[in-house]
């Protein structure tokens, strides 16, 4: 396991083997302070960031690639590093045929990046908010999706 010193000065062991009691990779202190709803630790709820198949795969792929993920990593780069099967180019709008799938990947990558590094790039944040709009349009105003959107909108990098 690798010991990582966060910008806050706190040292936490992080790596593919460092898991919390819920079985998720250990979260950065900034993530824990801001994302306090139960959905952020839920791996069974399809509408939670790490509960869908895409979200679950993303967080563990990101954790396995931990050495390639830093405070400078963007959501777009994390999707590439984690070898996410995104059907669109980063600068493209969500395609109707694959919109929910691609949106779920982008949202889970955004939350994975914040969980592991305690930060998110502005373009990644903006794309994640657009992705949440796609999911809300597809699934309705589910409380889990609205919570994620509100929490990302209030995030300060």
């Amino acid at each position: 396991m690798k010991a990582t010193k966060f910008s806050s000065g706190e040292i936490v062991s992080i790596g593919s083997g460092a898991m919390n009691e819920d079985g998720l990779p250990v979260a950065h202190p900034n993530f824990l302070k801001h994302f306090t709803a139960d959905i952020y630790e839920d791996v069974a709820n399809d509408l939670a960031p790490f509960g869908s198949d895409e979200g679950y795969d993303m967080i563990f792929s990101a954790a396995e690639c931990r050495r390639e993920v830093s405070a400078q990593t963007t959501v777009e780069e994390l999707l590439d590093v984690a070898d996410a099967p995104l059907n669109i180019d980063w600068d493209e709008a969500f395609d109707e045929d694959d919109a929910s799938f691609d949106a779920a990947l982008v949202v889970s990558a955004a939350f994975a990046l914040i969980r592991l590094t305690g930060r998110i790039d502005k373009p990644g944040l903006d794309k994640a908010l657009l992705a949440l709009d796609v999911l809300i349009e597809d699934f309705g105003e589910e409380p889990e999706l609205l919570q994620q959107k509100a929490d990302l909108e209030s995030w300060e990098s």
Side-chain angles (χ1 to χ4, degrees):
M1 243 183 297
K2 178 181 165 190
T4 300
K5 184 174 182 177
F6 292 115
S7 59
S8 64
E10 182 174 347
I11 298 176
V12 178
S13 294
I14 293 202
S16 59
M19 304 296 170
N20 68 12
E21 64 276 359
D22 295 310
L24 287 168
V26 172
H28 189 282
N30 293 345
F31 182 93
L32 294 173
K33 277 188 235 172
H34 188 78
F35 300 101
T36 59
D38 291 342
I39 60 168
Y40 298 111
E41 301 299 319
D42 192 339
V43 294
N45 181 338
D46 281 342
L47 297 177
F50 311 120
S52 67
D53 290 342
E54 299 84 9
Y56 189 84
D57 290 347
M58 177 56 65
I59 189 62
F60 286 100
S61 292
E64 286 175 11
C65 301
R66 185 65 182 107
R67 292 177 188 208
E68 299 173 57
V69 178
S70 72
Q72 287 71 44
T73 301
T74 66
V75 173
E76 180 180 10
E77 291 167 342
L78 182 60
L79 286 161
D80 187 50
V81 166
D83 202 25
L86 199 62
N87 294 302
I88 58 169
D89 288 332
W90 181 254
D91 294 329
E92 293 179 339
F94 290 100
D95 184 300
E96 285 186 31
D97 293 336
D98 301 308
S100 288
F101 178 80
D102 289 338
L105 283 174
V106 169
V107 168
S108 62
F111 281 106
L113 185 62
I114 300 170
R115 184 178 189 91
L116 296 176
T117 68
R119 59 156 303 281
I120 187 171
D121 59 298
K122 177 71 169 128
L125 177 63
D126 292 344
K127 188 78 165 191
L129 289 169
L130 287 173
L132 279 165
D133 286 339
V134 168
L135 295 175
I136 291 167
E137 184 176 315
D138 286 354
F139 297 105
E141 292 189 355
E142 296 291 336
E144 298 92 339
L145 297 174
L146 296 175
Q147 179 75 55
Q148 291 170 68
K149 185 170 182 182
D151 287 346
L152 279 181
E153 286 175 333
S154 65
W155 176 260
E156 294 180 20
S157 294

